[in-house]
């Protein structure tokens, strides 16, 4: 894969990134290790995780990879702070103390002395200047190389980015991570424009519409799918409604005409969209990953992109 710059920063990331939200529950250790090995061999380097994923299990699995001999320099490790699982409960705390405590625990779990990209998991109740001061502290101590935000809407992104630019000794924000797919295009309203203005790269999570754009749910819910699992059905439910059917059908029709799979078409649309630095994928096995890696040398032609834009919400005003 040809690496891309993350916004205007010096960090280079692969156009596909591995997301680890399902690690530890749906993706067990042996499968996760095989996925990362295949991904790195294909030229990928970005792996995205968070303390909340599996209550820290996903980060521990990354640490096990490094302890098992995977060179640390092979991966750009992106994790988050401000949202954790404590005593089985979800806790959002973006205060300086909580953020730095999250980071220390993440480093310990991942068996590393630094995080390549540390992201504020979501906008919290603490003053944003306090939250961002944790980033500056972590960078100055060498614990973090680059910083970003996650799940921020347009005004939140602009507020954070502007604050960090106000003084020269603050860490500029390199990225914003947000859900973005043919079934979730809200980022085009303000987030993508804000990211472009502030020189931030976009990390698109759930690039396959939480799995709905693979087409596997067109005729029902397979028993072995995430939508059939009690712990994940809520995640798929919003995209299994009738209003999503036209988009899924259009993706499937385009795939048939192009000799691709629906998942590949949906991924290509996101990967090459304006301002996207990397499209995050969450394969559960090597077969799914191999299908997505096959997109490396493929591109969608402009008429197909335009048709998919139209059926999923209208023209993308950020396209040149």
């Amino acid at each position: 894969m040809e690496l891309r710059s993350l916004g205007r920063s010096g960090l280079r990331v692969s156009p596909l990134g591995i997301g680890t939200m399902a690690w530890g529950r749906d993706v067990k250790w042996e499968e996760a290790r095989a996925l990362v090995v295949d991904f790195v061999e294909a030229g990928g380097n970005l792996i995205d995780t968070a303390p909340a994923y599996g209550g820290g299990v996903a980060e521990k699995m990354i640490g096990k990879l490094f302890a098992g001999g995977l060179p640390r320099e092979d991966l750009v490790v992106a994790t988050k702070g401000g949202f954790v699982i404590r005593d089985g409960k979800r806790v959002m705390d973006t205060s300086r103390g909580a953020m730095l405590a999250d980071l220390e625990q993440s480093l310990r779990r991942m068996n590393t002395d630094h995080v390549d990209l540390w992201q504020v998991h979501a906008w919290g109740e603490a003053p944003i200047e306090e939250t961002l001061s944790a980033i500056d502290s972590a960078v100055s101590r060498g614990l973090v190389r680059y910083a970003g935000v996650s799940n921020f809407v347009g005004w939140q992104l602009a507020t954070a980015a502007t604050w960090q630019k106000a003084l020269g000794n603050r860490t500029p924000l390199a990225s914003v991570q947000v859900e973005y797919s043919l079934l979730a295009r809200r980022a085009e309203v303000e987030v993508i424009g804000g990211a472009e203005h502030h020189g931030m790269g976009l990390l698109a999570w759930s690039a396959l519409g939480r799995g709905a754009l693979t087409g596997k749910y067109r005729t029902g819910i397979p028993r072995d799918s995430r939508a059939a699992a009690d712990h994940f059905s809520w995640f798929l439910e919003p995209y299994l409604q009738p209003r999503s059917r036209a988009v899924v059908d259009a993706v499937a029709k385009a795939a048939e005409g192009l000799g691709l799979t629906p998942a590949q078409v949906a991924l290509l649309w996101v990967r090459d969209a304006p301002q996207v630095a990397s499209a995050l994928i969450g394969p559960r096995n090597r077969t799914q990953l191999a299908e997505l890696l096959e997109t490396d040398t493929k591109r969608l032609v402009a008429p197909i992109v335009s048709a998919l834009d139209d059926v999923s919400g209208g023209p993308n005003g950020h396209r040149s």
Side-chain angles (χ1 to χ4, degrees):
M1 296 185 211
E2 185 174 345
L3 301 183
R4 298 172 171 178
S5 294
L6 187 61
R8 288 200 289 264
S9 78
L11 185 59
R12 305 273 289 172
V13 298
S14 50
L16 299 185
I18 294 287
T20 64
M21 187 176 71
W23 281 24
R25 173 170 265 176
D26 294 333
V27 180
K28 303 303 182 183
W29 159 246
E30 289 298 332
E31 198 67 61
R33 182 174 63 83
L35 286 171
V36 173
V37 169
D38 289 352
F39 181 63
V40 171
E41 287 183 352
N45 71 353
L46 177 63
I47 185 165
D48 181 77
T49 190
Y53 296 170
V57 173
E59 290 186 330
K60 288 180 179 178
M61 291 169 77
I62 293 173
K64 193 173 180 180
L65 286 169
F66 294 142
L70 179 71
R72 174 66 179 84
E73 61 271 18
D74 282 357
L75 289 181
V76 170
V77 175
T79 192
K80 307 174 186 76
F83 180 42
V84 297
I85 306 296
R86 295 177 186 160
D87 300 323
K89 298 180 180 179
R90 297 181 178 186
V91 177
M92 174 66 69
D93 187 348
T94 56
S95 66
R96 176 187 172 96
M99 290 284 294
L100 293 173
D102 289 351
L103 177 60
E104 290 176 4
Q105 293 170 27
S106 291
L107 293 173
R108 189 179 307 114
R109 285 190 289 262
M110 293 192 292
N111 193 36
T112 184
D113 64 355
H114 73 279
V115 169
D116 298 293
L117 177 66
W118 193 36
Q119 303 155 97
V120 182
H121 203 143
W123 186 272
E125 294 183 1
I128 189 61
E129 58 268 25
E130 177 182 339
T131 302
L132 295 173
S133 73
I135 288 176
D136 295 332
S137 174
V139 171
S140 68
R141 293 158 57 196
L143 304 178
V144 167
R145 301 287 172 82
Y146 294 87
V149 295
S150 176
N151 300 312
F152 277 32
V153 298
W155 71 265
Q156 295 168 345
L157 178 155
T159 298
T162 300
W163 178 264
Q164 290 303 94
K165 287 181 177 180
L167 294 178
N169 61 349
R170 293 176 184 156
T171 303
L173 298 180
S175 65
V176 56
Q177 183 174 152
V178 67
E179 183 176 12
Y180 188 48
S181 74
L182 280 161
L183 292 177
R185 294 180 57 187
R186 292 180 298 276
E188 293 173 16
V189 177
E190 289 185 339
V191 172
I192 291 177
E196 180 181 16
H197 179 78
H198 289 286
M200 301 164 66
L202 187 83
L203 303 180
W205 66 263
S206 273
L208 301 184
R210 308 188 185 189
L213 290 167
T214 63
K216 68 167 62 177
Y217 302 107
R218 294 179 74 196
T219 58
I221 299 178
R223 283 188 175 184
D224 62 346
S225 68
R226 288 178 176 174
D230 291 340
H231 61 279
F232 252 131
S233 59
W234 64 271
F235 192 61
L236 270 294
E237 193 275 336
Y239 295 152
L240 300 182
Q241 303 303 314
R243 62 180 178 274
S244 300
R245 183 177 299 277
V247 179
V248 176
D249 287 347
V251 170
K253 183 176 181 180
E256 183 178 357
L258 295 169
L260 300 172
T261 68
Q264 289 172 335
V265 170
L267 180 60
L268 287 169
W269 183 91
V270 175
R271 187 198 68 186
D272 297 332
Q275 212 60 31
V276 173
S278 187
L280 302 180
I281 54 176
R284 290 189 293 163
N285 56 59
R286 299 175 73 187
T287 300
Q288 292 177 352
L289 176 62
E291 174 188 355
L292 300 176
L293 290 176
E294 288 177 2
T295 62
D296 186 42
T297 59
K298 296 178 171 60
R299 301 288 186 276
L300 296 180
V301 295
I304 295 294
V305 173
S306 180
L308 292 174
D309 284 354
D310 288 343
V311 77
S312 63
N316 182 344
H318 299 284
R319 298 192 192 280
S320 57

